[in-house]
Amino acid sequence: MEQQVLELLAATLEPAADTRTNAERHLELLYTNDAFPISLISIASHTSVDLPLRQAALLSLKTFVLRIWSSSLDEFQGVITINEATKDQVRHSLLALATSGDQERKIVSASSLVVSKIASVDFPDQWPSLLPTLLQLIPQSHDGQLHGGLVVLGNLVEDGFDEDQFGKSAIELVRCIYDIATDERKKLNSRALAVSIFRACFDTMELMYQTDKASVKQFMQEASDAWTPFFIDVLKLPLPPIPAAEQESDTESGSWRGTVALKTQVVKALDKIHRTFPHLLSQHTLELFGTIWESLQAHVGPYLALYVDDSRQGRLEDADRLPYTLDFLVIEELDYIQSLVGSITVKRELEAQIAPEKLSNGTLNETWVAQIMTILVGFSQITQEDEGLWDFDVNVFLSEETSETANYSPRNACSYLVQKLFKYPVLESLLARTKAIYEEGSSSARAKEAAIFILKQILDELDSCSKDIDPDIARAYLHYIELAMHETDDFLRARGYILVSRLTTLPSSGLLDAVPQYARQTLAAIDQDSSDVVKVSCIRALQEYLKTLPASTAREFQVQTVAAISNFISAQDLSDLKESEDLLDTLVETLRDAIMADPSLCLEHPALDVLFTMASYGASSFQTTMLVNEAFDSITSSMAAKGSDSYAQLCAKVLPTLTGALDVGDMTSENALSDMAVSLLSSLAEHGPRPLPQNFVAAVMPKLYRLLFSSNEPILNQSATVTIRHIVAHDPDQVFSWQDPATGKGGLEIVLLIIDRLLGPDVDDASAAEVGGLTVELVEKAGAERLGPYLMQLLRIVAVRLSTAEHASFIQNLVLVFARLALTNAKEVLDFLAQVHVEGGAGGTGLEVVLRKWLENSVHFSGYDAIRQNVMALTNIYKLHDERLANIQVQGDLMVDNSTRIKTRSQSKRTPDRYSVIPVPLKLTKVLISELANPLSPSTPGLQQNQFADHSDDEDDEWEDEPGIVDLTNPTTTAELMAYADESRYNVRQLDDETQTYLVDFFKQASTEPDFRDLYQGLTDDEREKLHQMEKTSIQ
């Protein structure tokens, strides 16, 4: 069989899609053959087989395991086709491969990953020997075996253990990896891997801490006491000589790569301890801070030599996901020292060192503040790699400037650290360092740029905290910034323009009078400077000026800014501009700020044309689209507020462009362009006067009608539907009097046809999500007399479509059709629904279908208006005391499973949640009670003050503030973040005061009625308590 499998694996690597698909299908047919997984392991084990085929074998084996090994795996496909004897053979053969000492690390990593997948469901019950085997093998294995054993153990710790399993083996496991980590005879990479495993143990230990604090605290304290001295010794290790470029990535070349990898893992482990159990390191805080400090000082020189003076590649990891380049180590050290700065012990020491009596000659020149400025300026210098990227693509430069990049670098880490230190005299120390750099003839442009880059971070923090800057210091900095603006280096010049806008616009700088002067220089540079980096920096800098300039002066700059942006766009390659999202966003933001200086002026110059041009380029970008929509919405609302004439002039200017964009989007099948145009039309219609300008409907309705009958794009259909709703709401007479020249149909018929299509079975929930609002608007504006027989037919279609609706927003939209009608005609709504018959599995009378959907989804409704209308409609229905409602059974309360086991997705599918069944009047009462605000905590609805308990008792008082960076690898952190989606805990829906008062009055009256006393018996204890608290609060 091996030869057959080998040929199929080779076919899966072919470029032809049909060949690959056919081979994958044939491999799946072999799943029932017990020899198949053994053949895959055999192929992966043969060193004579090409590496890609060996990897393909293990990939196929992983897919095989996930699909048929166990029903506990999320990807399980329903049938276990492998017997226990074969499973046992696979386990032992695969573990042997992973720990065989194979020289190909990719094979070790891939095989250990499959081992961990199997272990996650089989250990310890079906595979009790796994952990004992590893713990016996690791201490006595040679380097190759050791690496494989550690990789398997690491995967087991991360994915294979639960808390109970880990607790039984924690002492032996931690001792085992400690012996490896501290054994100087072992390879540095293996020692780094052992430290990485120790760090991973903390995720499980943190979970165990919730149930067994005393034992976990004792164990972790003992482990920390043993490991911390070793960590400090590693941190103190000097870096070996920098290897030649061709040797840096060579795993056999010596100790550079291994030393960096080990030191990186040690810092990551210390940071992990700080974030999970900070009290463990309290007695070592100052020593750790000093050691990291010295390490950073020692690493500045090698960092500059590797990445600033040379162009070595950074951000590299090995096959075991261990970082081994110096930039990664520097990032970890900067982030960890940022955490240590939050320690009260460190703060006291730092403050003591800069106390006046400790200063030499009364200056900060020799203090830690001066030293940290030197460190930060060093690590903030632009690397050759980044300079090449930014020079080639200005969009990458802007993404770094706006911090909207996944490329986290030492430069980014420095910006966060200096912001943490802004309470200290960093401005004074940085000024001294800046002066030295600018006045030394040998200083590089990169060092000059880094100095004022750090200044920008401090100024941003001062502004966000509403702190002032000394005007004398501001003027001193301005001198060096002006020098930067006239340097020959593009990036230094760009930084100068960015800084002068930031500094001069600070109210406390005393430089506001100079803002117009520097704004004009910035505008001139957009047209005259040869560098695109400088141009876009100036365009971004204009945002600061436009927000600060007096209104009269800002209007003067509006025309010039629009012209500058227009000229810049015309000089760009259009194909490149479409791919430059950050550049487009910057252009749109600056143009928006310019227009908002006086929106009425945009009718006199091409500002809107420029905005629409950028909108067409960035139509496929969510961020750009949002910015364009915000800008246009502001313009439209501002012009509409000036009166009907101003709004009509705006329509005359923009309608031809927007309707033309719809035609272009239709012809070229560019849905993004059509989405953008319809969204802007929706904003235009929403802010329109009553009535709309003449011929507005004739210009817009034919385009929207065509789109809604030809498009299946949800966003496009939703925007088009909302636009028509706004048009009907603002000028129904113009709609009803309009006749489509292409079809001869009147406006009312056109809208009815649109609603009929959206409610039809061929349109999905997402596309039809806004049809309910349009239906309500049409019914209210047209009235029963104009609609005639169409009214009952329309409501019948809504009821039928509601029976199959699944999306919460769509259900709300359709339910509100009946809720709005029930506000004034509740009995007529019930009578009508009782006459409607709905076919299908969820069928019955319209009354049954609509009330089930209505009551089961009411608690998910969103929006103040929607909740208020829903509450008032339900109370109107309740007050009818209609006997038909008691005969309709609906979903009641969730029947809670007492099991503490966490359900996987597959388990949830097999055992779905179960609910009780109750009559409509009781469910309706429960829904209304759920809408009552909690009277016990009116100031903090939706988030109880004790939601997050301090799990470190009083020992965490050493740490004044929370860690600055969220560890998303921490399962507890992840669980807390995901819990924000749990509506029952955090997203409790808040009502406005009017609705709350209405509900309280309703329950006061209802509680006196005999029917309510019967319903009260069916309420839960929590619901009864809520009513009691409401009564107490209302009495007070």
Side-chain angles (χ1 to χ4, degrees), residues 166-234:
F166 181 82
K168 295 175 183 177
S169 57
I171 295 177
E172 187 178 0
L173 188 156
V174 171
R175 183 186 299 117
C176 174
I177 56 177
Y178 174 80
D179 291 340
I180 299 299
T182 57
D183 189 346
E184 296 183 1
R185 296 168 299 176
K186 302 298 184 184
K187 283 188 173 182
L188 289 165
N189 276 6
S190 295
R191 297 171 67 191
L193 196 54
V195 176
S196 175
I197 295 171
F198 177 64
R199 175 170 57 88
C201 291
F202 278 83
D203 290 335
T204 306
M205 294 305 298
E206 189 178 17
L207 294 174
M208 293 174 61
Y209 188 84
Q210 307 301 322
T211 56
D212 191 2
K213 291 188 177 183
S215 299
V216 172
K217 183 181 292 186
Q218 179 182 354
F219 172 76
M220 294 311 301
Q221 189 65 64
E222 293 173 356
S224 175
D225 290 344
W227 282 79
T228 303
F230 161 68
F231 287 160
I232 293 174
D233 289 342
V234 171

Side-chain angles (χ1 to χ4, degrees), residues 31 34 37 64 68-69 79-87 90:
Y31 280 8
D34 288 341
F64 168 82
I68 62 93
W69 192 273
V79 180
I80 298 176
T81 60
I82 182 173
N83 61 52
E84 286 301 321
T86 304
K87 279 187 175 184
V90 168

